[in-house]
Structure formats: C-alpha cells, structure tokens
C-alpha cells in the first residue's frame, strides 16, 4: 500500500508543480504586458516628451544636431533621469543621451510599438538590462520637421521579478501547499480503496497456493478493475478445483474399473490352483472368464492410453483424402452378424459420390465403431441402427442414429466425459471412455460432435467434419 501511496503522491506532486510553473509563466507574461502599467508609463513618457519639446522651443529651437541642442537634451535627460533620443528624418538615431545607439536605425531596434494621440507613438526595445519603453513625437524647429524626439525609460528585468514575488508568489505557494495537502489525503484514500481489496485477492491467492482450493476473493470490494481481478481469480480457482476433483474422480474410476476384473481373474485363478474347479467343464468356464476379463482389461488400458495420447496431442494422425461414406458403411458391415443376432436392422445411407475429407482412416473407423457399438448396446430387439452421410456446404455430416432407449436429459451434457455412464447398471461391459475418445478424435480432425436424444425415442450422434477444399 505504501508503494501505491508513494507513487500517487509523487504523481500528484509532479502535476501540481507543473501547474504552478505553467501558471507562473503565464502570470509573468501577463505582468510584463500588463496593459494598465503600460498605459500609465506611456502617458507619463508622453507628457515628458512634450515637455522636452517645449523646453527646446523656449530655448530658441536649438537643433539637436548642434552642440548647444545636444547639451540641452543631455541636461534634460540627466535632470529627469530619462533617456532622450533624436531620430533624423531618415530614421537614424543621431543623438542618444546614453551615447550608445547613435548611428543605428531606430526601426531595426524596435521590438513592438504603436500609435498614440497627437502624432505620438510608443515603442519598446529589448536590451540586456531590460526593456526600454520610448514615446516619440515629431520634432518641429522653425516650422520645419526635424525628425523625431523620443523620451524613454528602462523597465529592468529585476523589477518584474520583484513585482512578481511581491504580489503573486505568495498566493501561488499557498495554493500549491493546499493542493499538496489535499492530494495527499486523496492519494491516501485512493491507495486504501485499491490496496485493501487487492490485499484480499493476494490473501486468497496465497491460500490457494498453500493448497486451500476453496479459497475465494470477495468480488464486491474496491474499484471495478479489482473486482474484475477478483472475479477472474475466482473463476480460475473454480477451474482448478473442478480439474482436481475430476482428476480424483478419474483415478477412483480407473482403480474401481481395474479392480473388478482383477478380482474376478484372481478368484477364478485361485479356484483352478486349489482344484475347486473339479471337472473339465468348470475348468473351461474359469479359463474362459479369466480370458474375457483379461480382454476387458486390455480394452480398457488401450482406451485409456489412446485418450491420454489424444488429449496430450501426442497421437500421430494421418491426413489423407478419404471417402467418409464408404468408410462408415464398410464399418457398419462388420457389425451385421452381431446385429442379426440381436434382431436389429442395420442401414447405411450415402449419396453415390461424396466430396472427400482429409483424415486418418484407422481413427475414424474407431469413431464409427464406438458409436455403432453403443447404438447396438442400447437398442433392444426389433430396433434399427442407421448411418447417414451427407455433404452440406463445406461440411461433411455423419449421423449415427438408433431407435433405442435414448439418453435422459440430465445425462446429455456429460456423456462425452471420461468414465461417465448414464446408468452404470445398464450397458454391461462399458467403462465410459468410448464417447470421450470419439470426441477427441473428431476434434483432432477439426470437426465437432453433438447428440440429440430423448428417453424411449432413440439417439442421434451428429458429427461434422470440414471437407477437403
Ligand atoms: P460406455 O463404454 O459406457 O458406452 P461411452 O462413453 O461410449 O461409454 O458412453 C457413455 C454413456 O453414454 C453410456 O454409458 C450411456 O449411458 C450413454 N450412451 C452412449 N451412447 C448411447 C446410445 N446410443 N443410446 C443410449 N445411451 C447411450
């Protein structure tokens, strides 16, 4: 929390400082060109230049170009503590009481200026010492225009600074200090309102890391970003918990499903060893059961291995062009004998020519086999199992439909999960891995699988694959 607070207060401080600097610059500029002061000074100089011209007339119009004229002007400048310039008709400064600008063009020195009443005008000159403000008016001697006479004063830089610090600096600093105090309080408030709820998320994460999978962060504290983080964290925890529970269930299932046939094998083997199976027929029966259970174990471990490899993406899938219709109908033929024995009719419907798809024939056969195996297992005597392959748009559709007992609605979302069996009592040797493998293989082919079913009305497994373009 401290770090957040420090960052906030630093950021606020920087903003306040920047604002103060910008404000000072603006105020300084305003002070410098303060129209009122400017007017007052100009007015003052305007009277003075008129007075200077009056003095010249009274002294008998001595020309400033002459020694007498220049002396008088120098004397006036000294007495009034002003600078006096005489600019000839060509705009060249011919007399400067400060003896610095003589021979220079008055216009090139000018920074800004403007007209005043009575033929006067004002002008400003920037120098190292500060700004010189002049007011000039035409000089008329013996009714002849003799250029202009100008009276000026220096507005030193330091004067501006002094005025600034005397009038504006104090209030500016006060405002800055007040802003700093307020932003400190604000920073404290913000850092508290973010840091505290954040701390709860941290605590929940620590608890989770320590193994408490039920740890959750409160989702209704703090700003939206923190709430969002809490929600995301909780969703993640939910998933971790679900995954762990699924893993536990999976292990329990595997252990259970391995145990049943193993117990059976053990029992019959023991009977053979002990001689409990006395006659030839019961010995054969025991051997037959051991063989079947071992087969079941082999089937299950193969299925588990397949599933693990598919889920890890480690199973190599071929991708060759194939006719899905021909493949599915060929697989169906292999179930004909079994179907006849169960009194179930088999049908395969496909158009004479289908666009090809890219896939692994062996794995796709496994998919069709698993679906047909289920269909036959859950369909009673007199039923019907149909395969239908069609092409729509850029897809190939394979439907395996039966007229069997169907799947209850509450089981439908789960039947593709590993080890899920809608009704373990039925379905005999099934271990609940067939459909999980179907889904993995179909997805590995870029396809999708869906199921439609209602109890008593049969089931339809609908597979979609992208066709080869
Ligand atoms: P199993 O080896 O038990 O058949 P599956 O993964 O193939 O495992 O199927 C999971 C569950 O889905 C089955 O236990 C069964 O309840 C249900 N099921 C699958 N196919 C059908 C079907 N054609 N008709 C009715 N139920 C089905």
């Amino acid at each position: 929390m401290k770090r957040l607070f420090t960052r906030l207060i630093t950021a606020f401080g920087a903003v306040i400082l920047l604002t103060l600097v910008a404000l000072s610059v603006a105020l300084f500029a305003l002070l410098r060109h303060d129209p009122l002061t400017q007017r007052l000074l100009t007015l003052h100089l305007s009277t003075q230049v008129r007075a200077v011209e009056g003095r010249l007339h009274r002294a008998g119009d001595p020309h400033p170009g002459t020694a007498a004229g220049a002396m008088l002007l120098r004397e006036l400048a000294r007495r009034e503590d002003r600078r006096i310039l005489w600019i000839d008709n060509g705009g060249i400064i011919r007399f400067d009481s400060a003896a610095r600008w003589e021979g220079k063009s008055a216009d090139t020195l000018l920074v800004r200026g403007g007209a005043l009443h009575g033929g006067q005008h004002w002008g400003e000159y920037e120098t190292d010492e500060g700004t010189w403000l002049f007011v000039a008016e035409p000089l008329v001697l013996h009714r002849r225009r003799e250029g202009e006479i100008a009276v000026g004063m220096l507005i030193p830089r330091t004067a501006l600074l002094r005025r600034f610090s005397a009038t504006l600096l104090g209030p500016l600093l006060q405002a800055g200090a007040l802003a700093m105090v307020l932003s400190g309080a604000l920073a404290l408030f913000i850092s508290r309102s973010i840091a505290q709820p954040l701390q709860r998320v941290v605590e929940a994460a620590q608890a989770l890391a320590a193994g408490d999978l039920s740890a959750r962060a409160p989702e209704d504290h703090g700003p939206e970003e923190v709430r969002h983080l809490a929600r995301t964290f909780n969703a993640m925890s939910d998933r971790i918990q679900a995954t762990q529970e699924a893993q536990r269930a999976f292990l329990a299932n595997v252990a259970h499903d391995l145990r049943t046939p193993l117990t059976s094998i053990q029992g019959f083997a023991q009977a053979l060893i002990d001689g409990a199976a006395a006659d030839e027929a019961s010995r054969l029966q025991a051997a037959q059961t051991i063989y079947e259970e071992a087969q079941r174990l082999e089937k299950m471990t193969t299925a588990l291995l397949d599933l693990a490899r598919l889920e890890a993406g480690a199973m190599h899938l071929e991708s060759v062009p194939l006719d899905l219709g021909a493949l599915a109908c060929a697989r169906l033929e292999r179930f004909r004998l079994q179907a006849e024995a169960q009194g179930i009719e088999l049908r395969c419907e496909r158009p004479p020519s289908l666009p090809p798809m890219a896939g692994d024939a062996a794995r796709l056969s496994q998919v069709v086999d698993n679906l047909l195996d289920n269909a036959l297992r859950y369909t009673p005597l007199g039923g019907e199992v149909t395969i239908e392959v069609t092409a729509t748009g850029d897809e190939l559709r394979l439907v395996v439909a039966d007229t069997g007992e169907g799947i209850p609605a509450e089981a439908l979302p789960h039947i593709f999960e590993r080890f899920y069996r809608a009704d373990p009592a039925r379905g005999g040797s099934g271990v609940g891995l067939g459909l999980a493998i179907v889904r993995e293989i179909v997805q590995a082919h870029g396809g999708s699988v869906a199921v439609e079913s209602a109890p008593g009305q049969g089931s339809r497994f609908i597979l979609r694959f992208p066709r080869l373009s």
Side-chain angles (χ1 to χ4, degrees):
M1 192 188 93
K2 257 200 201 115
R3 286 177 58 189
L4 185 62
F5 176 76
T6 323
R7 277 171 190 218
L8 279 175
I9 197 85
T10 315
F12 285 165
V15 170
I16 290 172
L17 201 71
L18 268 177
T19 315
L20 282 182
V21 167
L23 208 65
S24 305
V25 169
L27 287 173
F28 206 75
L30 199 73
L31 210 64
R32 189 165 162 179
H33 302 293
D34 171 20
L36 192 67
T37 323
Q38 188 98 1
R39 259 189 89 90
L40 282 173
L41 292 176
T42 316
L43 211 67
H44 179 64
L45 289 172
S46 160
T47 355
Q48 283 191 324
V49 77
R50 194 141 294 155
V52 166
E53 193 149 0
R55 286 281 305 168
L56 279 174
H57 292 320
R58 261 180 278 138
D61 283 0
H63 194 281
T66 64
M71 211 167 77
L72 180 60
L73 287 182
R74 215 167 284 125
E75 167 63 16
L76 286 174
R78 194 186 51 80
R79 214 191 304 149
E80 299 292 329
D81 191 23
R82 291 286 173 261
R83 189 171 181 179
I84 297 179
L85 304 178
W86 170 55
I87 303 144
D88 73 6
N89 284 330
I92 305 296
I93 300 170
R94 292 295 172 198
F95 170 83
D96 175 5
S97 62
R100 255 181 282 165
W101 292 348
E102 277 149 357
K104 291 192 174 155
S105 155
D107 280 351
T108 47
L109 290 171
L110 195 71
V111 182
R112 58 194 150 256
L116 296 167
H117 290 298
Q120 289 186 336
H121 58 95
W122 65 276
E124 270 183 12
Y125 301 83
E126 297 288 356
T127 67
D128 290 344
E129 324 136 276
T131 309
W132 280 94
L133 176 66
F134 279 96
V135 171
E137 67 173 27
L139 176 65
V140 181
L141 298 174
H142 306 294
R143 295 171 187 269
R144 269 187 49 184
R145 163 103 196 236
E146 295 288 357
E148 287 186 321
I149 197 93
V151 173
M153 63 191 288
L154 177 68
I155 308 166
R157 288 232 160 83
T158 46
L160 267 175
L161 268 176
R162 234 179 292 122
R163 266 188 75 194
F164 180 76
S165 55
T167 54
L168 295 168
L169 195 63
L172 272 178
L173 287 180
Q174 276 171 6
L178 187 69
M180 237 12 241
V181 170
L182 285 181
S183 56
L186 197 66
L188 198 67
F189 172 73
I190 294 180
S191 61
R192 281 239 170 105
S193 70
I194 293 176
Q196 271 175 2
L198 213 52
Q199 186 56 32
R200 302 233 173 91
V201 182
V202 171
E203 279 160 15
Q206 280 167 342
L208 187 80
D212 176 9
L213 291 187
S214 65
R216 296 291 181 273
E219 293 179 4
D220 51 357
H221 280 59
E224 180 48 35
E225 287 81 355
V226 179
R227 290 169 190 226
H228 188 62
L229 175 68
R231 283 197 297 273
T232 313
F233 171 80
N234 289 347
M236 183 189 78
S237 310
D238 287 347
R239 284 203 62 172
I240 293 176
Q241 200 174 16
T243 308
Q244 216 193 38
E245 274 160 19
Q247 235 159 26
R248 219 174 275 147
F250 174 73
L251 265 181
N253 278 323
V254 174
H256 176 264
D257 281 328
L258 287 176
R259 215 184 147 79
T260 319
L262 279 176
T263 315
S264 169
I265 288 172
Q266 217 175 10
F268 281 101
Q270 190 71 51
L272 283 177
I273 294 167
D274 295 349
D279 55 87
E280 189 62 24
S282 36
R283 274 202 293 275
L284 206 67
Q285 173 67 38
Q288 178 71 25
T289 312
I290 290 173
Y291 176 74
E292 276 168 14
E293 292 296 353
Q295 215 176 19
R296 189 162 126 87
L297 277 178
E298 200 252 353
K299 238 169 89 178
M300 200 175 105
T301 42
T302 310
L304 272 174
L305 218 70
D306 277 357
L307 200 57
R309 287 230 227 74
L310 279 164
E311 279 180 350
M315 183 173 286
H316 172 71
L317 287 183
E318 272 186 45
S319 181
V320 292
L322 50 87
D323 181 339
L324 185 65
L327 181 142
C329 293
R331 295 317 292 182
L332 182 99
E333 285 316 314
R334 313 188 96 196
F335 285 81
R336 198 162 288 286
L337 269 180
Q338 182 191 341
E340 272 168 15
Q342 284 181 240
I344 296 171
E345 195 176 324
L346 290 185
R347 274 194 302 138
C348 194
E349 290 168 11
R350 61 178 171 123
S353 84
L354 265 177
M357 68 168 279
D360 185 314
R363 292 296 155 199
L364 289 171
S365 299
Q366 194 180 355
V367 165
V368 179
D369 285 0
N370 283 2
L371 292 174
L372 286 174
D373 187 53
N374 280 347
L376 287 175
R377 196 173 327 150
Y378 300 106
T379 303
L381 183 86
E384 201 176 278
V385 172
T386 318
I387 282 187
E388 215 181 276
V389 188
T390 47
T392 49
D394 47 7
E395 278 184 345
L396 285 166
R397 211 169 80 120
L398 174 108
V399 179
V400 178
D402 63 60
T403 57
E405 63 199 44
I407 304 162
E410 66 274 10
L412 272 182
H414 303 291
I415 57 164
F416 292 103
E417 288 167 13
R418 296 179 299 190
F419 286 111
Y420 183 83
R421 274 172 286 179
D423 180 1
R426 293 175 302 144
S429 64
V431 289
L433 290 174
L435 287 181
I437 290 177
V438 165
R439 185 171 64 174
E440 289 294 334
I441 295 178
V442 171
Q443 284 176 351
H445 278 83
S448 66
V449 53
V451 59
E452 291 168 0
S453 181
Q457 290 176 14
S459 313
R460 283 166 65 81
F461 286 85
I462 303 143
L463 279 52
R464 292 189 166 81
F465 295 99
R467 58 187 261 192
L468 195 63
S469 53

